[in-house]
Amino acid sequence: DGGDELFNAYETHGAYLYRKLYRKYTTESLRELLRKAANLLPVKHKKLSYDFLLKRFLNGAQYSCAQAHIYWRHTLDPERIDQLLLNHDVLCPYEDIESFFSQLNYTSDLDKISHIDLKYFLYGDLLFKNDRMMLAHSVESRFPFLDRELFEFAQRLPDSYRINLFQRRIVQKEAVRSLLPPRIYKRPGFGIEIPNSKWILGEFQDVLEYYSEKSLIIKQNLFNFDSLVKIINEHKTKKIDHGRFLWTFIVFQAWYFKNFSN
């Protein structure tokens, strides 16, 4: 934990560089045409399939740097969030991140999105889960990439030492080149991700139907039922891959009714 954030290993960090070139060399009308064309591609429900990545990138690239980064990490775009939530006073995460991004004192936007990942994704999510699971089994974990001196050294590195259009975590990989066999050193990275898009249509379909039942949603008074049904139907008909959101929805509902239902 920590290495991906410090050395820009995430696909979203690569997407940041591609977005800069994409917006520089295309017109707004061409980008809109490409976005509409990509959204016509059939959905495959495979982990990080080409159609998913292309749609995700093109749809996110229309936003500002900060909002694009959150779109690529998030599960729904701002318009969908507004349609889905009944309480419109809730601060939209896109607005929150945009405000935080503008206050960061870095010359590089890449450093800003890295800081966002450190604050919200690493500190506020990954380290919590890691610590809870480890200590639940009486194991105390260590995070060598978060060593203070290494952390400060990585923050002083220029962008080009960490990432370019063809490679991520550049200096990190170079540091261990002589220690690893070529098949490991050259192997592309791969994240740990559950097949939520398929689960929603398989073993968890009954769970989704239970937590999205109309009378329950109306009583809960948090979600717009019609908007929720539209999202579910788009996923079932393979119009749009909403696997990440629907899995998040199930987890939220399970937590909510465990803690707040009478």
Side-chain angles (χ1 to χ4, degrees):
D1 281 340
D4 290 343
E5 289 79 12
L6 286 180
F7 297 103
N8 300 116
Y10 288 124
E11 287 86 354
T12 50
H13 295 175
Y16 155 78
L17 295 179
Y18 302 141
R19 175 189 170 277
K20 287 180 66 176
L21 290 177
Y22 175 68
R23 291 182 65 88
K24 181 178 180 180
Y25 293 108
T26 59
T27 62
E28 185 175 347
S29 57
L30 177 58
R31 292 196 293 269
E32 180 64 16
L33 180 63
L34 291 172
R35 193 168 66 87
K36 289 182 177 179
N39 287 332
L40 296 175
L41 293 173
V43 172
K44 299 188 181 300
H45 284 172
K46 293 181 180 180
K47 174 187 174 183
L48 298 180
S49 62
Y50 288 115
D51 71 282
F52 175 85
L53 291 175
L54 182 61
K55 293 172 186 176
R56 197 79 166 176
F57 172 76
L58 293 177
N59 288 329
Q62 64 181 315
Y63 298 113
S64 68
C65 179
Q67 292 186 350
H69 184 63
I70 294 306
Y71 178 87
W72 293 324
R73 276 213 172 280
H74 223 263
T75 58
L76 291 177
D77 59 47
E79 292 80 10
R80 286 279 191 172
I81 292 174
D82 187 57
Q83 294 166 9
L84 183 66
L85 296 181
L86 294 179
N87 182 2
H88 296 288
D89 292 331
V90 175
L91 182 63
C92 176
Y94 289 84
E95 298 170 0
D96 188 25
I97 295 298
E98 185 75 68
S99 174
F100 181 70
F101 181 88
S102 65
Q103 296 172 29
L104 292 173
N105 187 26
Y106 296 104
T107 57
S108 164
D109 284 347
L110 183 64
D111 285 333
K112 291 184 179 182
I113 64 174
S114 298
H115 191 116
I116 287 173
D117 283 346
L118 284 168
K119 176 178 173 64
Y120 290 98
F121 190 51
L122 182 66
Y123 300 156
D125 183 16
L126 297 179
L127 292 183
F128 273 106
K129 291 188 288 191
N130 186 308
D131 192 51
R132 287 170 180 166
M133 292 302 101
M134 290 289 189
L135 292 180
H137 299 279
S138 301
V139 176
E140 190 170 343
S141 53
R142 291 289 183 267
F143 307 100
F145 284 115
L146 296 180
D147 171 81
R148 183 179 63 82
E149 292 185 0
L150 177 59
F151 187 95
E152 292 175 350
F153 165 76
Q155 287 197 309
R156 293 193 298 268
L157 290 172
D159 295 355
S160 60
Y161 277 57
R162 291 176 276 143
I163 188 172
N164 58 38
L165 289 172
F166 307 102
Q167 190 178 4
R168 301 188 296 273
R169 66 165 96 235
I170 297 172
V171 72
Q172 185 186 23
K173 292 181 68 175
E174 194 62 31
V176 296
R177 179 195 285 268
S178 63
L179 305 176
L180 298 175
R183 65 183 182 87
I184 300 297
Y185 174 80
K186 295 179 180 180
R187 186 180 66 182
F190 50 90
I192 301 172
E193 192 164 338
I194 61 175
N196 41 40
S197 296
K198 292 184 177 180
W199 281 358
I200 296 301
L201 301 177
E203 51 261 57
F204 282 91
Q205 185 169 349
D206 291 343
V207 181
L208 176 61
E209 290 177 357
Y210 172 79
Y211 282 128
S212 59
E213 200 273 324
K214 185 172 184 179
S215 61
L216 184 147
I217 294 298
I218 293 175
K219 181 180 179 181
Q220 190 179 11
N221 198 34
L222 292 177
F223 304 105
N224 181 301
F225 177 73
D226 292 337
S227 179
L228 178 62
V229 169
K230 183 178 180 180
I231 291 173
I232 294 173
N233 287 337
E234 286 176 343
H235 185 78
K236 287 183 176 180
T237 58
K238 293 190 175 183
K239 183 179 179 181
I240 301 176
D241 186 349
H242 289 300
R244 288 183 174 185
F245 164 73
L246 293 175
W247 180 255
T248 303
F249 171 76
I250 287 176
V251 172
F252 172 80
Q253 292 291 76
W255 169 82
Y256 179 90
F257 287 104
K258 177 181 178 181
N259 291 282
F260 298 105
S261 62
N262 296 324

Coordinates of all heavy atoms in Angstrom, one line a residue, residues 69-107:
H69 N -10.8 12.9 -13.0 CA -10.1 11.9 -12.1 C -11.2 11.2 -11.2 O -11.1 10.0 -11.0 CB -9.1 12.6 -11.3 CG -8.3 11.6 -10.4 ND1 -7.5 10.7 -10.9 CD2 -8.2 11.5 -9.1 CE1 -6.9 10.0 -10.0 NE2 -7.3 10.5 -8.8
I70 N -12.1 12.0 -10.6 CA -13.1 11.4 -9.8 C -14.1 10.5 -10.6 O -14.5 9.5 -10.2 CB -13.8 12.5 -9.0 CG1 -12.9 13.1 -8.0 CG2 -15.0 11.9 -8.2 CD1 -12.1 12.1 -7.1
Y71 N -14.4 11.0 -11.8 CA -15.3 10.2 -12.7 C -14.7 8.8 -12.9 O -15.4 7.8 -12.9 CB -15.6 10.9 -14.0 CG -16.4 10.1 -14.9 CD1 -17.8 10.2 -14.9 CD2 -15.9 9.3 -15.9 CE1 -18.6 9.5 -15.7 CE2 -16.7 8.5 -16.7 CZ -18.0 8.6 -16.6 OH -18.8 7.8 -17.5
W72 N -13.4 8.8 -13.2 CA -12.8 7.5 -13.5 C -12.7 6.6 -12.3 O -12.6 5.4 -12.4 CB -11.4 7.7 -14.1 CG -11.4 8.4 -15.4 CD1 -12.3 8.2 -16.4 CD2 -10.5 9.4 -16.0 NE1 -12.0 9.0 -17.5 CE2 -10.9 9.7 -17.3 CE3 -9.4 10.0 -15.5 CZ2 -10.3 10.6 -18.1 CZ3 -8.7 10.9 -16.2 CH2 -9.1 11.2 -17.6
R73 N -12.7 7.2 -11.1 CA -12.6 6.5 -9.8 C -14.0 6.2 -9.3 O -14.2 5.2 -8.6 CB -11.9 7.2 -8.8 CG -10.4 7.1 -8.9 CD -9.8 7.1 -7.5 NE -8.4 6.8 -7.5 CZ -7.9 5.6 -7.5 NH1 -8.7 4.5 -7.6 NH2 -6.6 5.3 -7.4
H74 N -15.0 7.0 -9.6 CA -16.3 7.0 -9.0 C -17.2 6.0 -9.7 O -16.8 5.3 -10.7 CB -16.9 8.4 -9.0 CG -17.6 8.7 -7.8 ND1 -19.0 8.6 -7.6 CD2 -17.1 9.2 -6.6 CE1 -19.3 9.0 -6.3 NE2 -18.2 9.4 -5.7
T75 N -18.5 5.9 -9.3 CA -19.4 4.9 -9.9 C -20.5 5.6 -10.7 O -21.1 4.9 -11.6 CB -20.1 4.1 -8.8 OG1 -20.7 4.9 -7.9 CG2 -19.0 3.2 -8.0
L76 N -20.8 6.8 -10.5 CA -21.8 7.5 -11.2 C -21.3 9.0 -11.6 O -20.6 9.6 -10.8 CB -23.1 7.6 -10.5 CG -23.9 6.3 -10.2 CD1 -25.1 6.6 -9.4 CD2 -24.3 5.7 -11.5
D77 N -21.8 9.5 -12.7 CA -21.5 10.9 -13.0 C -22.4 11.8 -12.3 O -23.4 11.4 -11.7 CB -21.6 11.1 -14.6 CG -23.0 10.8 -15.1 OD1 -24.0 11.3 -14.5 OD2 -23.1 10.1 -16.1
P78 N -22.0 13.1 -12.3 CA -22.8 14.1 -11.5 C -24.3 14.1 -11.8 O -25.1 14.3 -10.9 CB -22.1 15.4 -11.8 CG -20.7 15.1 -12.3 CD -20.9 13.8 -13.0
E79 N -24.6 14.0 -13.1 CA -26.0 14.1 -13.5 C -26.8 12.9 -12.9 O -27.9 13.1 -12.4 CB -26.1 14.1 -15.0 CG -25.6 15.3 -15.7 CD -24.1 15.4 -15.9 OE1 -23.4 14.3 -15.6 OE2 -23.6 16.4 -16.2
R80 N -26.2 11.7 -12.9 CA -26.9 10.5 -12.4 C -27.0 10.7 -10.9 O -28.1 10.2 -10.3 CB -26.0 9.3 -12.7 CG -26.1 8.8 -14.1 CD -27.4 8.0 -14.4 NE -27.3 7.4 -15.7 CZ -28.2 6.5 -16.1 NH1 -29.2 6.1 -15.4 NH2 -28.0 5.9 -17.3
I81 N -26.0 11.2 -10.2 CA -26.1 11.4 -8.8 C -27.3 12.3 -8.4 O -28.1 12.0 -7.5 CB -24.8 11.9 -8.2 CG1 -23.7 10.9 -8.3 CG2 -25.0 12.3 -6.7 CD1 -22.3 11.4 -7.9
D82 N -27.4 13.4 -9.2 CA -28.5 14.3 -9.0 C -29.8 13.7 -9.2 O -30.8 14.0 -8.5 CB -28.3 15.5 -9.9 CG -29.3 16.7 -9.6 OD1 -29.3 17.1 -8.4 OD2 -30.0 17.1 -10.5
Q83 N -29.9 12.8 -10.2 CA -31.2 12.2 -10.5 C -31.6 11.1 -9.5 O -32.7 10.9 -9.2 CB -31.1 11.5 -11.9 CG -31.0 12.5 -13.0 CD -30.6 11.8 -14.3 OE1 -30.6 10.6 -14.4 NE2 -30.3 12.6 -15.3
L84 N -30.5 10.5 -8.9 CA -30.8 9.3 -8.0 C -31.1 9.7 -6.6 O -32.0 9.1 -6.0 CB -29.5 8.4 -8.1 CG -29.6 7.1 -7.2 CD1 -30.7 6.2 -7.8 CD2 -28.3 6.4 -7.2
L85 N -30.4 10.7 -6.1 CA -30.6 11.1 -4.7 C -31.8 12.1 -4.5 O -31.9 13.0 -5.3 CB -29.3 11.8 -4.2 CG -28.1 10.9 -4.1 CD1 -26.9 11.7 -3.6 CD2 -28.3 9.7 -3.3
L86 N -32.6 11.8 -3.5 CA -33.7 12.7 -3.2 C -33.3 13.9 -2.5 O -33.9 15.0 -2.6 CB -34.8 11.9 -2.4 CG -35.5 10.7 -3.2 CD1 -36.5 10.1 -2.2 CD2 -36.2 11.2 -4.4
N87 N -32.3 13.8 -1.7 CA -31.8 14.9 -0.9 C -30.7 15.7 -1.7 O -29.6 15.3 -1.8 CB -31.2 14.5 0.4 CG -30.7 15.6 1.3 OD1 -30.9 16.8 0.9 ND2 -30.2 15.3 2.4
H88 N -31.1 16.7 -2.4 CA -30.2 17.5 -3.2 C -29.3 18.4 -2.4 O -28.5 19.1 -3.0 CB -31.0 18.2 -4.3 CG -31.7 17.3 -5.2 ND1 -31.1 16.6 -6.2 CD2 -33.0 17.0 -5.3 CE1 -32.0 15.9 -6.9 NE2 -33.2 16.1 -6.4
D89 N -29.5 18.5 -1.1 CA -28.6 19.3 -0.3 C -27.3 18.6 0.0 O -26.3 19.2 0.5 CB -29.3 19.6 1.0 CG -30.5 20.6 0.8 OD1 -30.4 21.3 -0.2 OD2 -31.4 20.5 1.6
V90 N -27.2 17.3 -0.3 CA -26.0 16.5 -0.1 C -24.9 17.0 -1.0 O -25.2 17.2 -2.2 CB -26.2 15.0 -0.3 CG1 -24.9 14.2 -0.2 CG2 -27.2 14.4 0.7
L91 N -23.7 17.3 -0.5 CA -22.7 17.8 -1.3 C -22.2 16.8 -2.3 O -21.8 15.7 -1.9 CB -21.5 18.2 -0.4 CG -20.3 18.9 -1.1 CD1 -20.7 20.2 -1.8 CD2 -19.1 19.1 -0.1
C92 N -22.2 17.1 -3.6 CA -21.8 16.2 -4.6 C -20.3 16.0 -4.5 O -19.5 17.0 -4.4 CB -22.1 16.8 -6.0 SG -21.5 15.9 -7.4
P93 N -19.8 14.8 -4.5 CA -18.4 14.6 -4.4 C -17.5 15.3 -5.5 O -16.4 15.6 -5.2 CB -18.2 13.0 -4.5 CG -19.5 12.6 -5.2 CD -20.6 13.5 -4.7
Y94 N -18.1 15.5 -6.6 CA -17.4 16.2 -7.7 C -17.1 17.6 -7.3 O -16.0 18.1 -7.5 CB -18.2 16.1 -9.0 CG -18.2 14.8 -9.6 CD1 -19.2 13.8 -9.2 CD2 -17.3 14.4 -10.6 CE1 -19.2 12.6 -9.8 CE2 -17.3 13.1 -11.2 CZ -18.3 12.2 -10.8 OH -18.3 11.0 -11.3
E95 N -18.1 18.3 -6.7 CA -17.9 19.6 -6.2 C -16.9 19.7 -5.1 O -16.0 20.6 -5.0 CB -19.2 20.2 -5.8 CG -20.2 20.3 -6.9 CD -21.6 20.7 -6.3 OE1 -21.7 20.8 -5.1 OE2 -22.6 20.7 -7.2
D96 N -16.9 18.7 -4.2 CA -16.0 18.7 -3.0 C -14.6 18.5 -3.5 O -13.7 19.2 -3.0 CB -16.4 17.5 -2.1 CG -15.7 17.5 -0.8 OD1 -15.2 18.6 -0.4 OD2 -15.6 16.4 -0.2
I97 N -14.4 17.6 -4.4 CA -13.0 17.3 -4.9 C -12.5 18.5 -5.7 O -11.3 18.8 -5.7 CB -13.0 16.0 -5.8 CG1 -13.3 14.8 -4.9 CG2 -11.7 15.8 -6.5 CD1 -12.4 14.6 -3.8
E98 N -13.4 19.1 -6.5 CA -12.9 20.3 -7.3 C -12.5 21.4 -6.4 O -11.4 22.0 -6.7 CB -14.1 20.8 -8.2 CG -13.8 21.9 -9.1 CD -13.0 21.4 -10.3 OE1 -13.6 20.7 -11.2 OE2 -11.8 21.8 -10.4
S99 N -13.2 21.6 -5.3 CA -12.8 22.6 -4.3 C -11.4 22.3 -3.7 O -10.5 23.1 -3.6 CB -13.9 22.8 -3.3 OG -13.4 23.7 -2.3
F100 N -11.3 21.0 -3.3 CA -10.0 20.6 -2.6 C -8.9 20.7 -3.6 O -7.8 21.1 -3.2 CB -10.2 19.2 -2.1 CG -9.0 18.6 -1.4 CD1 -8.6 19.1 -0.2 CD2 -8.3 17.6 -2.0 CE1 -7.5 18.6 0.5 CE2 -7.1 17.1 -1.4 CZ -6.8 17.6 -0.1
F101 N -9.1 20.3 -4.8 CA -8.1 20.3 -5.9 C -7.5 21.7 -6.1 O -6.3 21.9 -6.2 CB -8.7 19.7 -7.2 CG -7.7 19.7 -8.3 CD1 -7.0 18.6 -8.6 CD2 -7.7 20.7 -9.3 CE1 -6.1 18.5 -9.7 CE2 -6.8 20.7 -10.4 CZ -6.0 19.5 -10.6
S102 N -8.4 22.7 -6.1 CA -8.0 24.1 -6.4 C -7.2 24.7 -5.3 O -6.5 25.7 -5.5 CB -9.3 24.9 -6.7 OG -10.1 25.0 -5.5
Q103 N -7.3 24.1 -4.1 CA -6.6 24.7 -2.9 C -5.2 24.1 -2.7 O -4.4 24.6 -2.0 CB -7.4 24.4 -1.7 CG -8.8 25.1 -1.6 CD -9.6 24.7 -0.5 OE1 -9.1 24.3 0.6 NE2 -11.0 24.8 -0.6
L104 N -4.9 23.0 -3.5 CA -3.6 22.3 -3.3 C -2.5 23.1 -3.9 O -2.7 23.6 -5.0 CB -3.7 20.9 -3.9 CG -4.6 19.9 -3.2 CD1 -4.7 18.6 -4.1 CD2 -4.0 19.6 -1.9
N105 N -1.4 23.3 -3.2 CA -0.3 24.1 -3.6 C 0.8 23.3 -4.3 O 1.9 23.1 -3.8 CB 0.3 24.9 -2.4 CG 1.3 25.9 -2.8 OD1 1.2 26.4 -3.9 ND2 2.2 26.2 -1.9
Y106 N 0.5 22.8 -5.5 CA 1.4 22.1 -6.4 C 1.5 22.8 -7.7 O 0.5 23.3 -8.2 CB 1.0 20.6 -6.5 CG 1.0 19.8 -5.3 CD1 -0.2 19.4 -4.7 CD2 2.2 19.3 -4.7 CE1 -0.2 18.6 -3.6 CE2 2.2 18.5 -3.6 CZ 1.0 18.2 -3.0 OH 0.9 17.4 -1.9
T107 N 2.6 22.7 -8.4 CA 2.7 23.2 -9.7 C 2.2 22.2 -10.7 O 1.9 22.6 -11.9 CB 4.2 23.6 -10.1 OG1 5.0 22.4 -9.9 CG2 4.7 24.7 -9.2

